[in-house]
Amino acid sequence: MVSRIAIEVPYGDAELVIDTGAEPRARIACRSSRWVTALLSLAPASALPIAASRICGSCSSSHYLASLKAVARLRGLESGASAYEAAIALEIAAGDALHLARARYLEPLGLSREVAASLEAKSLRLARVARDAIQRCFGSPVAPVLGWIDRVLAREPLDECCKLFARSATELINEISRLAREVERVVREACSYAPGAEGVEYVALAGGSLSLASGRLTLLRSGARVDLGSVEVFERGGGLEKAARVVGKPARVGAIAREVARGNLSLEELSEVLETPLYQFVASARELRYIASALAEGSVGSVAWGEPWVEAPSGPIAHEYSSLSTPREARVVTGSMIAIEAAEMDVVSALRASRASDESRARAIALAVLSSYPLCMHCASL
Amino acid sequence: MRIAVLSLASCGGCQQALLQAAGEAGVEIAAMPILGREWSGESVDVLFVEGCVTSEHHLRLLEQARGRCGKLVALGTCACFGGPSGLARLGASSEELARGSSSVEPRPPADLVEFDVLVPRCPPPPSMLSQLLSTLSRGERPRSVYAESTVCSQCPRAFKGIKGFRLELSRDPSDVEEGACLLSQGVLCLGPLTLGGCGAPCPAAGVPCIGCGGLSAKLIAVRGLRPIDALASLLAAIGGSDRDSALRELEDSVPPHSTHLFTSCSRIALSKPGSRILPLLRRL
Ligand code: SF4
Ligand code: SF4
Ligand code: SF4
C-alpha cells in the first residue's frame, strides 16, 4: 500500500511516500524546485563557484569551496590542501554552532529556560566568530576564484582565525559537553544511530558531520573512511538528481525500529523524544569540540582530507554541468545539514520492525521518525 | 525591537546575513527558520520576507504577512527580483524539469505585495542590514538602499572602447587583460546593469559580474527597459553604432536570460511595466 504524506518545508512543498508492502520503502521528495541548476548551467565557467554558493545559504561556503576546488582543478591549479581543509572545518563549525543555537529544544530534558537562553546566545556568538573567520580569510562567499586561491596560498591569517575560533569555542564547548552527556544517553536510547547495534555500519550522519568535515564519507562509529570506489551513483527524483550511495555495507537496523517492534517504545514516547533535534545537538557538540581542538592545534588535516565529496540530502550528490561558454565539465558537490537518505532508511526500518499494516499507524510511525530530522532541504530543492 | 523572517523559495543566505546583523544590533529574533523557529503569523515590529514565491503555500504565507507587522521588508535579490529562486520560471518551461514543478508561476514578493523597504543584493551585506535594523529600531525612515551607482563605479578596470557587439560569456581569468574592462575585451559583464555597492570583487578578479546584486536604479526607473536593451544602448553609444544592430549581435551571441539571471522572473526584467517596485522606489 502506497501512502503519500505531504510535508511542508519552509520554502515549499515536500512529500514522504511510504510503501508498506512486504518490503517497506520510503522516499522523501522535494516538490518545490528553485531550478538553481539553471543558474549553474547559464553562469560563466569562471563564476560557477559564485553561482553554486546560492544552492544553500547556510552551507554556502561548502558549495563554494567544493565547486571552487573542482574548477581550480579543471584549470590545473592546486590549492593549498591544509588551508582548504581548515576552511571546510570552519564552515562545519559555523553550521554546528548554529545547530547548537537551537538549545531551547533541550528544555523538555529539564534544562532551565535561562540555561537554554544562555547556550543559545553563546552558540550564536560562536557561529558569528566562525563566519567572521571565513570572511576574513576568504572574503565573502561571492568572492571570486582567483581571490580565494591567492588567499589560500597565504596561510597566516587563516591560522590566526582558527586559533581565535578555538579560543572562543572552548568555554561554550565545556558547558555543552556536560549537557551533551545527559542528552546523549537519551538519544542513544531513542535514536536509530545507537552505537553498538549489531552488525551495523552507517554512513548517514546528522547535524553537520565528519563526512562533511572530512570531505569524504566517514563511518561514524569506527571513523573509517569509505573507499570512493564503493560509492554507487544512482538517480533520484525522476532522473533530476544524481545521487550516490555506499554499497556493500550491511543495512542499518535502527534502535527506533527495534524498540517499537519490541513494544518498549510507544509512539507517544517516540514523538516526545524525537520531536526535539537532540541528535543534532549531540552530534554538533561532539564535532564542534573535535574541530575546535584540531583547529587550535593546527592539525586540521586529521579532521579533513580534502576530497570535494561532501554529504548531501541523499548521500553525496554530484551535480554535473557544463558551462555554455566552454566545453568543460565541473562536478559541483553539494553539502547539506541532513542526509535525507538516512531519514528514508530510518522510516523503512521503523515500518519494517513495527509491521504496521493499517495506513494511519504506518503514517504516524513514519512521521514520528521523520520528526527527528530537521528537514533542511535547500539543496534538495535545486 | 522584535523581528521575524518569513522564508519562501530561497537559499537561506539572507537569513544568515540578517542573523549576523541582528547580533550586532541587539534585536530580538522572534522567528527565523535557520534557528528552527518558523514564523507562524504572530505580529512583530519588522517582518523580513526572504525568497521568491513558487507555490500556493507561499502565496498564502505572503497574504498572511500583509498588514500583520509594523514594517515589511523584502530581503535580498530573491524577494525583490526573484533571484536564483526565480529561475524556476525558466525551469518550469522545460519539459524535463516540469515534472513535480512549482504550482504557481514564480514571482518575486515585491511584485505582489507592497513593502516598506526593499533590500536587494544576494545576500545584502550584514553591515547594510545592521544599519537598517538600527534605523528601524529608532523608528526612523530608512534611506533608500539604492545608490545611483552600478558595479562599474566600483570596478578597478578601465574602459578601453569595444571590440564588437558579439560577446563571449566567459574567459579564463588568466587570459583576461590586466586592468582593462571585461566588456571592452568582449566578455559579457553585467556590471553596468547591476546595482553597485558590492565592491565589484568579481570583475576585479577577472570574473564577469553575473548581476547578483539586482538591477540598477536606472533599469528599475525606466519602464519596460530590458537589461539587454540597456546593454545594447550602452555598447552602441560607445561603439558608434545604432542600437538595433548592436542588439541583434548581442542577442545572437549571448543566450537569452544570461543578461538577467538574478532577475529572470521580475516584471521589470520581463519588460512588463507596472511593477510595484516603481512607486516604492520613488517614495524612498
Ligand atoms: S537573495 Fe541570494 S542569498 Fe538571499 S535567499 Fe536569494 S539566493 Fe539566497
Ligand atoms: S563592465 Fe564589468 S569589467 Fe567593465 S567596468 Fe563594468 S564591472 Fe568592470
Ligand atoms: S556578481 Fe556582480 S553584483 Fe554580485 S558580487 Fe559579483 S560583482 Fe557584485
Side-chain angles (χ1 to χ4, degrees):
Chain A
M1 180 185 54
V2 174
S3 193
R4 292 177 179 274
I5 308 169
I7 330 165
E8 267 175 12
V9 286
Y11 42 80
D13 307 319
E15 191 178 54
L16 168 66
V17 185
I18 52 172
D19 179 351
T20 51
E23 197 43 61
R25 288 182 304 167
R27 257 300 305 282
I28 299 165
C30 191
R31 291 270 157 245
S32 306
S33 274
R34 288 176 294 134
W35 317 116
V36 179
T37 37
L39 178 64
L40 296 179
S41 57
L42 285 167
S46 51
L48 287 177
I50 304 169
S53 66
R54 271 70 181 209
I55 292 169
C56 170
S58 299
C59 307
S60 55
S61 325
S62 289
H63 295 293
Y64 177 72
L65 292 169
S67 53
L68 191 58
K69 184 105 178 167
V71 171
R73 278 189 182 162
L74 284 172
R75 299 185 55 227
L77 297 166
E78 201 37 76
S79 51
S82 61
Y84 177 81
E85 290 155 6
I88 294 278
L90 273 171
E91 166 68 27
I92 304 308
D96 280 359
L98 212 56
H99 279 296
L100 291 172
R102 300 173 181 190
R104 66 171 55 196
Y105 289 110
L106 296 179
E107 279 180 36
L109 278 186
L111 192 68
S112 79
R113 186 154 295 195
E114 292 69 38
V115 174
S118 114
L119 265 181
E120 179 179 300
K122 284 180 183 158
S123 311
L124 281 180
R125 210 169 58 228
L126 200 58
R128 289 191 192 107
V129 173
R131 287 255 168 254
D132 283 348
I134 294 171
Q135 182 102 13
R136 253 180 75 191
C137 300
F138 302 98
S140 88
V142 296
V145 177
L146 292 186
W148 185 80
I149 291 171
D150 287 347
R151 282 186 172 100
V152 162
L153 295 177
R155 171 100 214 215
E156 296 79 34
L158 187 61
D159 285 340
E160 201 187 293
C161 288
C162 287
K163 287 196 182 112
L164 173 72
F165 173 78
R167 272 201 301 278
S168 320
T170 309
E171 183 202 356
L172 176 75
I173 289 169
N174 288 341
E175 196 169 330
I176 55 183
S177 295
R178 282 198 311 276
L179 292 163
R181 275 194 291 277
E182 175 57 16
V183 172
E184 191 174 357
R185 188 185 59 74
V186 181
V187 175
R188 273 182 190 235
E189 283 167 13
C191 177
S192 61
Y193 296 100
E198 234 169 277
V200 177
E201 286 277 40
Y202 41 82
V203 293
L205 308 169
S209 69
L210 287 181
S211 297
L212 193 58
S214 68
R216 275 197 185 174
L217 288 175
T218 309
L219 301 182
L220 183 60
R221 194 159 54 125
S222 60
R225 294 179 221 166
V226 175
D227 173 14
L228 288 183
S230 65
V231 173
E232 172 193 82
V233 176
F234 65 104
E235 293 198 335
R236 299 184 79 241
L240 290 183
E241 294 170 17
K242 269 200 183 130
R245 64 184 156 216
V246 177
V247 291
K249 296 288 164 197
R252 296 181 313 141
V253 179
I256 293 176
R258 267 204 325 268
E259 296 307 305
V260 170
R262 289 174 187 159
N264 292 340
L265 199 57
S266 73
L267 279 177
E268 290 69 38
E269 285 165 336
L270 193 62
S271 319
E272 199 177 302
V273 178
L274 294 179
E275 269 165 18
T276 63
L278 294 176
Y279 184 78
Q280 274 67 30
F281 185 89
V282 176
S284 306
R286 275 223 214 92
E287 286 172 24
L288 191 55
R289 181 153 50 154
Y290 181 40
I291 290 167
S293 53
L295 283 169
E297 290 162 10
S299 61
V300 280
S302 62
V303 177
W305 292 276
E307 281 295 319
W309 277 87
V310 291
E311 199 169 21
S314 186
I317 292 183
H319 288 270
E320 287 193 6
Y321 53 85
S322 52
S323 147
L324 279 180
S325 51
T326 353
R328 286 171 171 165
E329 276 202 340
R331 288 173 83 76
V332 170
V333 186
T334 67
S336 148
M337 295 208 274
I338 65 149
I340 287 181
E341 196 178 17
E344 291 170 349
M345 286 162 75
D346 262 5
V347 172
V348 168
S349 301
L351 290 174
R352 190 180 289 144
S354 65
R355 294 195 186 86
S357 53
D358 78 280
E359 191 183 345
S360 68
R361 186 169 156 76
R363 289 169 82 105
I365 291 173
L367 281 175
V369 173
L370 207 60
S371 64
S372 67
Y373 292 89
L375 283 182
C376 163
M377 292 174 75
H378 281 121
C379 55
S381 64
L382 272 178
Chain B
M1 186 171 78
R2 292 177 81 233
I3 65 165
V5 177
L6 165 60
S7 185
L8 308 174
S10 71
C11 84
C14 288
Q15 285 180 68
Q16 290 279 356
L18 187 64
L19 182 65
Q20 201 88 3
E24 284 154 31
V27 296
E28 188 192 335
I29 302 170
M32 188 180 266
I34 52 167
L35 293 179
R37 288 174 245 160
E38 303 295 333
W39 180 68
S40 53
E42 79 259 41
S43 170
V44 286
D45 300 310
V46 186
L47 180 68
F48 289 86
V49 178
E50 172 200 67
C52 179
V53 169
T54 59
S55 71
E56 299 285 351
H57 177 53
H58 292 153
L59 280 174
R60 283 194 299 274
L61 287 169
L62 202 56
E63 190 53 43
Q64 217 181 345
R66 215 195 275 258
R68 285 275 175 100
C69 301
K71 290 261 182 291
L72 206 55
V73 179
L75 177 65
T77 303
C78 287
C80 297
F81 303 113
S85 312
L87 285 162
R89 194 186 174 91
L90 308 184
S93 61
S94 132
E95 200 196 314
E96 187 194 29
L97 296 179
R99 273 186 302 230
S101 76
S102 52
S103 47
V104 293
E105 187 186 10
R107 300 285 297 280
D111 273 7
L112 300 166
V113 167
E114 194 90 8
F115 281 89
D116 297 290
V117 187
L118 298 174
V119 194
R121 294 195 177 92
C122 177
S127 56
M128 175 187 283
L129 293 174
S130 56
Q131 213 172 12
L132 175 70
L133 286 172
S134 41
T135 308
L136 290 172
S137 58
R138 287 196 303 270
E140 290 169 14
R141 191 188 169 82
R143 259 183 335 114
S144 167
V145 294
Y146 276 96
E148 285 304 312
S149 66
T150 62
V151 169
C152 294
S153 66
Q154 294 183 307
C155 178
R157 297 181 171 272
F159 204 79
K160 295 183 176 168
I162 49 166
K163 289 197 173 133
F165 306 118
R166 304 188 73 83
L167 300 180
E168 290 169 41
L169 259 191
S170 177
R171 189 174 294 170
D172 193 305
S174 54
D175 295 334
V176 163
E177 192 190 323
E178 195 77 18
C181 165
L182 294 167
L183 275 177
S184 306
Q185 299 179 55
V187 180
L188 176 68
C189 177
L190 301 186
L193 312 178
T194 307
L195 175 68
C198 61
C202 307
V207 177
C209 168
I210 52 174
C212 79
L215 296 169
S216 69
K218 184 182 172 196
L219 270 166
I220 293 172
V222 182
R223 281 181 177 239
L225 179 65
R226 297 179 309 159
I228 197 159
D229 296 332
L231 192 60
S233 305
L234 176 76
L235 293 178
I238 296 163
S241 171
D242 68 292
R243 184 183 154 281
D244 288 349
S245 44
L247 182 62
R248 265 196 308 279
E249 292 208 37
L250 255 181
E251 283 178 333
D252 270 359
S253 58
V254 303
H257 312 296
S258 53
T259 52
H260 52 279
L261 285 172
F262 284 73
T263 53
S264 62
C265 76
S266 157
R267 286 190 187 208
I268 300 160
L270 293 167
S271 192
K272 288 182 189 164
S275 164
R276 287 165 191 268
I277 293 174
L278 293 167
L280 180 63
L281 185 69
R282 279 198 290 272
R283 215 176 44 232
L284 277 171

